[in-house]
Amino acid sequence: MPTLLIAFGIRFFFYLDEHRPIHVHVSYGGKVAKIELEPQIKVVYNHGLKEQTLKKAVSTCEN
């Protein structure tokens, strides 16, 4: 699970054998979410991240 970025304490990572569409996994405090990057940025699932943390993660993906 290579880490792409750590921002605001949120870890952005991917698995080596991933599939399309392009996406990242994020984790913070033992909670995880998956965010698609193409064709548009959207949260695929959220397993416990607080709304504020998830918004920061999505915003980071937009930049």
Side-chain angles (χ1 to χ4, degrees):
M1 294 181 280
T3 298
L4 297 168
L5 173 71
I6 297 175
F8 310 106
I10 304 167
R11 179 175 170 241
F12 295 77
F13 63 96
F14 66 97
Y15 295 99
L16 293 176
D17 60 347
E18 285 288 30
H19 52 83
R20 293 206 177 263
I22 297 172
H23 61 278
V24 294
H25 299 268
V26 297
S27 68
Y28 181 82
K31 312 297 184 196
V32 295
K34 178 178 170 181
I35 302 172
E36 279 186 1
L37 304 176
E38 290 184 349
Q40 63 186 20
I41 295 174
K42 74 174 185 177
V43 177
V44 177
Y45 64 75
N46 175 18
H47 293 237
L49 288 176
K50 292 183 179 179
E51 185 176 342
Q52 181 180 12
T53 303
L54 191 58
K55 282 182 181 181
K56 284 182 183 179
V58 169
S59 176
T60 300
C61 289
E62 292 173 337
N63 296 323

mmCIF file of all heavy atoms in Angstrom, residues 29-52:
data_model
loop_
_atom_site.group_PDB
_atom_site.id
_atom_site.type_symbol
_atom_site.label_atom_id
_atom_site.label_comp_id
_atom_site.label_asym_id
_atom_site.label_seq_id
_atom_site.Cartn_x
_atom_site.Cartn_y
_atom_site.Cartn_z
ATOM 1 N N GLY A 29 -7.237 8.024 11.731
ATOM 2 C CA GLY A 29 -7.689 7.501 13.014
ATOM 3 C C GLY A 29 -8.301 6.116 12.953
ATOM 4 O O GLY A 29 -9.237 5.813 13.686
ATOM 5 N N GLY A 30 -7.801 5.286 12.041
ATOM 6 C CA GLY A 30 -8.321 3.926 11.929
ATOM 7 C C GLY A 30 -9.593 3.808 11.105
ATOM 8 O O GLY A 30 -10.112 2.715 10.908
ATOM 9 N N LYS A 31 -10.091 4.911 10.582
ATOM 10 C CA LYS A 31 -11.289 4.923 9.725
ATOM 11 C C LYS A 31 -10.827 5.073 8.290
ATOM 12 O O LYS A 31 -9.776 5.650 8.006
ATOM 13 C CB LYS A 31 -12.218 6.082 10.089
ATOM 14 C CG LYS A 31 -12.508 6.220 11.563
ATOM 15 C CD LYS A 31 -13.225 5.032 12.119
ATOM 16 C CE LYS A 31 -13.564 5.296 13.583
ATOM 17 N NZ LYS A 31 -13.907 4.127 14.308
ATOM 18 N N VAL A 32 -11.635 4.572 7.337
ATOM 19 C CA VAL A 32 -11.224 4.594 5.931
ATOM 20 C C VAL A 32 -12.348 5.045 5.011
ATOM 21 O O VAL A 32 -13.532 4.940 5.354
ATOM 22 C CB VAL A 32 -10.718 3.209 5.466
ATOM 23 C CG1 VAL A 32 -9.465 2.803 6.194
ATOM 24 C CG2 VAL A 32 -11.801 2.160 5.608
ATOM 25 N N ALA A 33 -11.948 5.513 3.837
ATOM 26 C CA ALA A 33 -12.889 5.876 2.783
ATOM 27 C C ALA A 33 -12.207 5.646 1.438
ATOM 28 O O ALA A 33 -10.987 5.501 1.361
ATOM 29 C CB ALA A 33 -13.320 7.335 2.911
ATOM 30 N N LYS A 34 -13.017 5.609 0.400
ATOM 31 C CA LYS A 34 -12.508 5.451 -0.969
ATOM 32 C C LYS A 34 -13.079 6.593 -1.796
ATOM 33 O O LYS A 34 -14.293 6.844 -1.753
ATOM 34 C CB LYS A 34 -12.950 4.100 -1.539
ATOM 35 C CG LYS A 34 -12.527 3.842 -2.958
ATOM 36 C CD LYS A 34 -12.990 2.451 -3.380
ATOM 37 C CE LYS A 34 -12.812 2.206 -4.844
ATOM 38 N NZ LYS A 34 -13.298 0.868 -5.223
ATOM 39 N N ILE A 35 -12.202 7.266 -2.551
ATOM 40 C CA ILE A 35 -12.610 8.411 -3.350
ATOM 41 C C ILE A 35 -12.201 8.176 -4.801
ATOM 42 O O ILE A 35 -11.027 7.979 -5.098
ATOM 43 C CB ILE A 35 -11.955 9.713 -2.833
ATOM 44 C CG1 ILE A 35 -12.323 9.948 -1.370
ATOM 45 C CG2 ILE A 35 -12.359 10.901 -3.698
ATOM 46 C CD1 ILE A 35 -11.569 11.095 -0.718
ATOM 47 N N GLU A 36 -13.197 8.191 -5.707
ATOM 48 C CA GLU A 36 -12.905 8.087 -7.133
ATOM 49 C C GLU A 36 -12.389 9.425 -7.624
ATOM 50 O O GLU A 36 -12.874 10.478 -7.213
ATOM 51 C CB GLU A 36 -14.163 7.719 -7.926
ATOM 52 C CG GLU A 36 -14.493 6.271 -7.898
ATOM 53 C CD GLU A 36 -15.653 5.903 -8.812
ATOM 54 O OE1 GLU A 36 -16.217 6.779 -9.504
ATOM 55 O OE2 GLU A 36 -16.007 4.715 -8.807
ATOM 56 N N LEU A 37 -11.409 9.385 -8.529
ATOM 57 C CA LEU A 37 -10.837 10.600 -9.096
ATOM 58 C C LEU A 37 -11.302 10.844 -10.529
ATOM 59 O O LEU A 37 -11.258 11.968 -11.012
ATOM 60 C CB LEU A 37 -9.309 10.520 -9.054
ATOM 61 C CG LEU A 37 -8.707 10.279 -7.669
ATOM 62 C CD1 LEU A 37 -7.203 10.133 -7.772
ATOM 63 C CD2 LEU A 37 -9.093 11.387 -6.708
ATOM 64 N N GLU A 38 -11.717 9.806 -11.208
ATOM 65 C CA GLU A 38 -12.205 9.909 -12.579
ATOM 66 C C GLU A 38 -13.462 9.079 -12.736
ATOM 67 O O GLU A 38 -13.574 8.036 -12.103
ATOM 68 C CB GLU A 38 -11.155 9.396 -13.571
ATOM 69 C CG GLU A 38 -9.961 10.288 -13.704
ATOM 70 C CD GLU A 38 -9.002 9.794 -14.767
ATOM 71 O OE1 GLU A 38 -9.157 8.648 -15.252
ATOM 72 O OE2 GLU A 38 -8.099 10.534 -15.109
ATOM 73 N N PRO A 39 -14.439 9.447 -13.508
ATOM 74 C CA PRO A 39 -14.463 10.639 -14.352
ATOM 75 C C PRO A 39 -14.710 11.934 -13.565
ATOM 76 O O PRO A 39 -14.454 13.020 -14.070
ATOM 77 C CB PRO A 39 -15.605 10.371 -15.317
ATOM 78 C CG PRO A 39 -16.527 9.467 -14.570
ATOM 79 C CD PRO A 39 -15.639 8.647 -13.671
ATOM 80 N N GLN A 40 -15.194 11.808 -12.352
ATOM 81 C CA GLN A 40 -15.327 12.976 -11.471
ATOM 82 C C GLN A 40 -15.028 12.536 -10.049
ATOM 83 O O GLN A 40 -15.095 11.358 -9.730
ATOM 84 C CB GLN A 40 -16.724 13.578 -11.553
ATOM 85 C CG GLN A 40 -17.820 12.628 -11.087
ATOM 86 C CD GLN A 40 -19.208 13.185 -11.320
ATOM 87 O OE1 GLN A 40 -19.381 14.075 -12.125
ATOM 88 N NE2 GLN A 40 -20.170 12.670 -10.620
ATOM 89 N N ILE A 41 -14.696 13.484 -9.210
ATOM 90 C CA ILE A 41 -14.360 13.161 -7.827
ATOM 91 C C ILE A 41 -15.643 12.868 -7.059
ATOM 92 O O ILE A 41 -16.579 13.678 -7.060
ATOM 93 C CB ILE A 41 -13.571 14.306 -7.177
ATOM 94 C CG1 ILE A 41 -12.220 14.447 -7.882
ATOM 95 C CG2 ILE A 41 -13.379 14.049 -5.684
ATOM 96 C CD1 ILE A 41 -11.400 15.619 -7.433
ATOM 97 N N LYS A 42 -15.680 11.671 -6.444
ATOM 98 C CA LYS A 42 -16.839 11.314 -5.621
ATOM 99 C C LYS A 42 -16.433 10.278 -4.593
ATOM 100 O O LYS A 42 -15.526 9.473 -4.821
ATOM 101 C CB LYS A 42 -18.010 10.819 -6.466
ATOM 102 C CG LYS A 42 -17.834 9.441 -7.035
ATOM 103 C CD LYS A 42 -19.096 8.984 -7.740
ATOM 104 C CE LYS A 42 -18.950 7.549 -8.202
ATOM 105 N NZ LYS A 42 -20.167 7.036 -8.816
ATOM 106 N N VAL A 43 -17.115 10.310 -3.470
ATOM 107 C CA VAL A 43 -16.865 9.349 -2.398
ATOM 108 C C VAL A 43 -17.603 8.062 -2.737
ATOM 109 O O VAL A 43 -18.818 8.070 -2.939
ATOM 110 C CB VAL A 43 -17.324 9.911 -1.036
ATOM 111 C CG1 VAL A 43 -17.141 8.878 0.064
ATOM 112 C CG2 VAL A 43 -16.570 11.196 -0.708
ATOM 113 N N VAL A 44 -16.874 6.970 -2.816
ATOM 114 C CA VAL A 44 -17.466 5.663 -3.115
ATOM 115 C C VAL A 44 -18.000 5.044 -1.827
ATOM 116 O O VAL A 44 -19.117 4.533 -1.800
ATOM 117 C CB VAL A 44 -16.430 4.725 -3.773
ATOM 118 C CG1 VAL A 44 -17.013 3.349 -4.008
ATOM 119 C CG2 VAL A 44 -15.903 5.337 -5.058
ATOM 120 N N TYR A 45 -17.192 5.090 -0.774
ATOM 121 C CA TYR A 45 -17.660 4.643 0.533
ATOM 122 C C TYR A 45 -16.915 5.380 1.632
ATOM 123 O O TYR A 45 -15.823 5.900 1.417
ATOM 124 C CB TYR A 45 -17.552 3.121 0.706
ATOM 125 C CG TYR A 45 -16.150 2.553 0.686
ATOM 126 C CD1 TYR A 45 -15.272 2.698 1.767
ATOM 127 C CD2 TYR A 45 -15.696 1.823 -0.400
ATOM 128 C CE1 TYR A 45 -13.999 2.162 1.751
ATOM 129 C CE2 TYR A 45 -14.423 1.284 -0.435
ATOM 130 C CZ TYR A 45 -13.583 1.460 0.656
ATOM 131 O OH TYR A 45 -12.320 0.931 0.640
ATOM 132 N N ASN A 46 -17.542 5.430 2.774
ATOM 133 C CA ASN A 46 -16.952 6.045 3.956
ATOM 134 C C ASN A 46 -17.250 5.136 5.131
ATOM 135 O O ASN A 46 -18.410 4.891 5.443
ATOM 136 C CB ASN A 46 -17.534 7.437 4.184
ATOM 137 C CG ASN A 46 -17.028 8.059 5.474
ATOM 138 O OD1 ASN A 46 -16.026 7.643 6.035
ATOM 139 N ND2 ASN A 46 -17.739 9.051 5.944
ATOM 140 N N HIS A 47 -16.220 4.643 5.763
ATOM 141 C CA HIS A 47 -16.377 3.764 6.919
ATOM 142 C C HIS A 47 -15.872 4.474 8.169
ATOM 143 O O HIS A 47 -14.821 4.121 8.713
ATOM 144 C CB HIS A 47 -15.640 2.448 6.705
ATOM 145 C CG HIS A 47 -16.233 1.613 5.614
ATOM 146 N ND1 HIS A 47 -16.667 0.339 5.805
ATOM 147 C CD2 HIS A 47 -16.472 1.867 4.320
ATOM 148 C CE1 HIS A 47 -17.147 -0.145 4.677
ATOM 149 N NE2 HIS A 47 -17.036 0.779 3.759
ATOM 150 N N GLY A 48 -16.628 5.495 8.579
ATOM 151 C CA GLY A 48 -16.371 6.108 9.870
ATOM 152 C C GLY A 48 -15.670 7.445 9.901
ATOM 153 O O GLY A 48 -15.538 8.028 10.974
ATOM 154 N N LEU A 49 -15.196 7.947 8.757
ATOM 155 C CA LEU A 49 -14.565 9.268 8.781
ATOM 156 C C LEU A 49 -15.619 10.330 9.080
ATOM 157 O O LEU A 49 -16.725 10.295 8.536
ATOM 158 C CB LEU A 49 -13.910 9.599 7.442
ATOM 159 C CG LEU A 49 -12.640 8.853 7.076
ATOM 160 C CD1 LEU A 49 -12.186 9.236 5.676
ATOM 161 C CD2 LEU A 49 -11.537 9.126 8.067
ATOM 162 N N LYS A 50 -15.252 11.277 9.924
ATOM 163 C CA LYS A 50 -16.168 12.378 10.219
ATOM 164 C C LYS A 50 -16.314 13.246 8.977
ATOM 165 O O LYS A 50 -15.414 13.325 8.140
ATOM 166 C CB LYS A 50 -15.649 13.212 11.385
ATOM 167 C CG LYS A 50 -15.686 12.459 12.697
ATOM 168 C CD LYS A 50 -15.236 13.337 13.840
ATOM 169 C CE LYS A 50 -15.311 12.552 15.140
ATOM 170 N NZ LYS A 50 -14.871 13.343 16.287
ATOM 171 N N GLU A 51 -17.459 13.910 8.867
ATOM 172 C CA GLU A 51 -17.764 14.714 7.688
ATOM 173 C C GLU A 51 -16.674 15.754 7.401
ATOM 174 O O GLU A 51 -16.261 15.933 6.250
ATOM 175 C CB GLU A 51 -19.112 15.413 7.863
ATOM 176 C CG GLU A 51 -19.560 16.176 6.646
ATOM 177 C CD GLU A 51 -20.936 16.788 6.797
ATOM 178 O OE1 GLU A 51 -21.706 16.367 7.677
ATOM 179 O OE2 GLU A 51 -21.223 17.715 6.026
ATOM 180 N N GLN A 52 -16.180 16.411 8.427
ATOM 181 C CA GLN A 52 -15.149 17.437 8.251
ATOM 182 C C GLN A 52 -13.857 16.833 7.679
ATOM 183 O O GLN A 52 -13.247 17.402 6.776
ATOM 184 C CB GLN A 52 -14.861 18.123 9.574
ATOM 185 C CG GLN A 52 -13.824 19.221 9.475
ATOM 186 C CD GLN A 52 -13.560 19.884 10.813
ATOM 187 O OE1 GLN A 52 -13.989 19.395 11.855
ATOM 188 N NE2 GLN A 52 -12.849 20.990 10.791
#
